[in-house]
């Protein structure tokens, strides 16, 4: 647990992007300690590297997008969620188009293939962000809050005015089996939104193969749901993907109510902006060390 990790072997995926509908190849390769998760666009020659960090988030409309000023990658959250949950700190993600493959709309295939390839430890201590003071973002009745705690927990509640969803809550702790309980939950959307989203150039690759679609009162997918409360489980999945953009795993209690990519990434930015709200330390030695790179990131946020 005390050492950074990467993947043991190359892992490959191919498919279409949920929003662009474009075909894409994605190849994950092992990376050295302290390099983090990086996306490398293979269809672009210059300025094609984008670090998976919250300071590179360029959009949170329906998906989380990252950019470096000239180049972007989008819908990163399902892969980031699997990497975060499996404890993979460093990996280079070579991608042939701007949007990651949606696969089955969940993180299951990402997690399965990464586990098959195997995860290996690197000879460098893993660093964690320890939350020291509560930070909170409110937007109407939506809430995102993080507060000090001995370990990472995530409490999610949703309340949709739809008979197939309604109120749902889920508590993610270290004893939650990500693979069994979270990774298979799929992205979801309302049929009534589809036309509007497609007019915005979104959801062009969406289908019943990769999205749970709700009409007026029910789930349209012929096989129904994978979990009775699949909706809140997918919100947890997405949130883990956003919290992976902190740069290091978090130690703290996260509470999210009717949140989403926007509130989640705003919460992380706010936390990292406040020097006294967190500290970075390595777990195995419990030697506190301030990370000069993170200090630079803060000035980039200001
Ligand atoms: Zn999602």
């Amino acid at each position: 647990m005390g050492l950074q990790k990467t993947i043991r072997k190359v892992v490959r995926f191919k498919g279409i992007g949920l929003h662009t509908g474009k075909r894409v190849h994605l190849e994950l390769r092992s990376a050295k300690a302290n390099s983090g998760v990086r996306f490398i666009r293979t269809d672009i020659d210059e300025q094609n590297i984008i670090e998976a960090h919250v300071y590179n988030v360029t959009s949170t409309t329906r998906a989380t997008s990252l950019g470096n000023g000239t180049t972007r990658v989008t819908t990163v959250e399902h892969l980031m969620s699997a990497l975060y949950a499996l404890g993979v700190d460093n990996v280079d993600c070579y991608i042939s188009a701007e949007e990651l493959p949606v696969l089955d709309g969940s993180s299951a295939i990402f997690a399965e293939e990464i586990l098959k390839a195997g995860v290996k430890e690197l000879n460098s201590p893993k660093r964690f962000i320890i939350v020291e003071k509560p930070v909170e973002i409110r937007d109407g009745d939506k809430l995102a809050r993080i507060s000090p705690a001995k370990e990472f927990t995530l409490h999610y509640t949703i309340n949709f005015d739809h008979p197939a969803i309604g109120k749902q809550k889920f508590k993610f702790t270290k004893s939650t089996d990500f693979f069994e309980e979270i990774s298979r939950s799929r992205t979801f959307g309302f049929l009534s939104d589809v036309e509007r989203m497609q007019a915005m150039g979104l959801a062009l690759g969406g289908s019943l193969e990769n999205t749970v679609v709700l009409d007026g009162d029910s789930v349209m997918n012929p096989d129904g749901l994978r979990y009775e409360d699949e909706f809140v489980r997918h919100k947890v999945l997405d949130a883990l993907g956003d919290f992976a953009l902190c740069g290091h795993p978090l130690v703290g209690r996260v509470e999210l109510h009717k949140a989403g990519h926007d509130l989640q990434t705003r919460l992380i930015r706010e936390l990292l902006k406040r020097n006294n709200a967190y500290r970075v330390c390595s777990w195995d030695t419990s030697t506190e060390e301030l990370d000069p790179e993170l200090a630079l990131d803060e000035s980039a946020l200001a």
Side-chain angles (χ1 to χ4, degrees):
M1 157 158 210
L3 293 172
Q4 293 184 31
K5 289 178 185 155
T6 187
I7 52 171
R8 205 174 278 282
K9 282 193 293 195
V10 173
V11 190
R12 294 185 182 87
F13 305 94
K14 62 178 176 186
I16 56 165
L18 176 64
H19 295 298
T20 58
K22 284 186 192 152
R23 293 203 62 77
V24 59
H25 289 260
L26 172 68
E27 187 172 299
L28 311 187
R29 298 186 200 163
S30 64
K32 59 183 196 307
N34 301 313
S35 59
V37 178
R38 304 189 312 163
F39 290 93
I40 299 132
R41 288 274 301 267
T42 58
D43 56 329
I44 291 173
D45 295 329
E46 286 177 6
Q47 295 197 299
N48 61 344
I49 301 175
I50 305 162
E51 287 173 21
H53 196 283
V54 71
Y55 64 71
N56 285 332
V57 170
T58 55
S59 161
T60 51
T61 306
R62 298 279 174 174
T64 300
S65 305
L66 303 170
N68 62 9
T70 52
T71 308
R72 68 173 208 151
V73 284
T74 185
T75 320
V76 300
E77 60 270 20
H78 299 170
L79 172 67
M80 292 305 299
S81 184
L83 293 171
Y84 190 72
L86 300 175
V88 178
D89 306 280
N90 307 292
V91 66
D92 282 342
C93 312
Y94 290 83
I95 182 165
S96 68
E98 74 175 53
E99 190 177 20
L100 273 76
V102 63
L103 306 174
D104 69 345
S106 78
S107 293
I109 297 169
F110 288 129
E112 218 170 85
E113 294 302 318
I114 292 166
L115 284 172
K116 246 190 249 170
V119 170
K120 68 173 181 186
E121 288 186 330
L122 296 163
N123 193 22
S124 192
K126 201 173 176 101
R127 285 184 293 189
F128 291 80
I129 293 179
I130 318 285
V131 179
E132 304 243 86
K133 289 207 168 71
V135 176
E136 177 178 296
I137 305 275
R138 282 178 189 270
D139 186 351
D141 62 345
K142 300 175 185 172
L143 168 76
R145 186 172 200 273
I146 188 158
S147 48
K150 283 203 178 96
E151 56 193 37
F152 178 73
T153 59
L154 194 152
H155 306 250
Y156 217 125
T157 53
I158 57 172
N159 189 359
F160 279 86
D161 186 18
H162 188 285
I165 310 180
K167 282 186 189 169
Q168 297 186 354
K169 60 178 179 180
F170 195 91
K171 182 179 168 186
F172 182 93
T173 70
K174 68 174 184 192
S175 57
T176 307
D177 183 335
F178 174 80
F179 193 72
E180 290 298 326
E181 299 177 59
I182 299 293
S183 82
R184 295 178 61 249
S185 62
R186 292 161 295 173
T187 194
F188 60 95
F190 300 93
L191 186 61
S192 54
D193 285 344
V194 169
E195 275 184 12
R196 195 171 51 80
M197 285 176 68
Q198 292 186 336
M200 289 167 70
L202 296 169
L204 300 178
S207 73
L208 293 176
E209 303 286 299
N210 55 37
T211 306
V212 176
V213 181
L214 298 137
D215 65 7
D217 54 7
S218 60
V219 170
M220 295 176 70
N221 304 59
D223 295 333
L225 296 174
R226 291 178 172 179
Y227 309 93
E228 204 183 326
D229 56 353
E230 186 166 354
F231 307 100
V232 72
R233 287 175 196 247
H234 190 79
K235 297 296 280 185
V236 170
L237 185 160
D238 278 344
L240 292 173
D242 286 340
F243 285 101
L245 300 174
C246 281
H248 306 294
L250 274 172
V251 179
R253 174 190 165 95
V254 177
E255 289 156 84
L256 300 166
H257 176 64
K258 298 172 86 170
H261 299 304
D262 176 49
L263 228 58
Q264 285 147 201
T265 52
R266 278 165 61 194
L267 179 69
I268 302 165
R269 279 174 184 268
E270 194 56 40
L271 172 74
L272 298 184
K273 238 193 255 179
R274 296 191 195 176
N275 277 334
N276 63 350
Y278 73 96
R279 68 192 155 97
V280 179
C281 78
S282 51
W283 194 252
D284 53 347
T285 59
S286 68
T287 307
E288 291 182 25
E289 50 167 327
L290 279 172
D291 182 353
E293 278 173 11
L294 210 63
L296 280 176
D297 298 345
E298 284 153 23
S299 59
L301 280 170

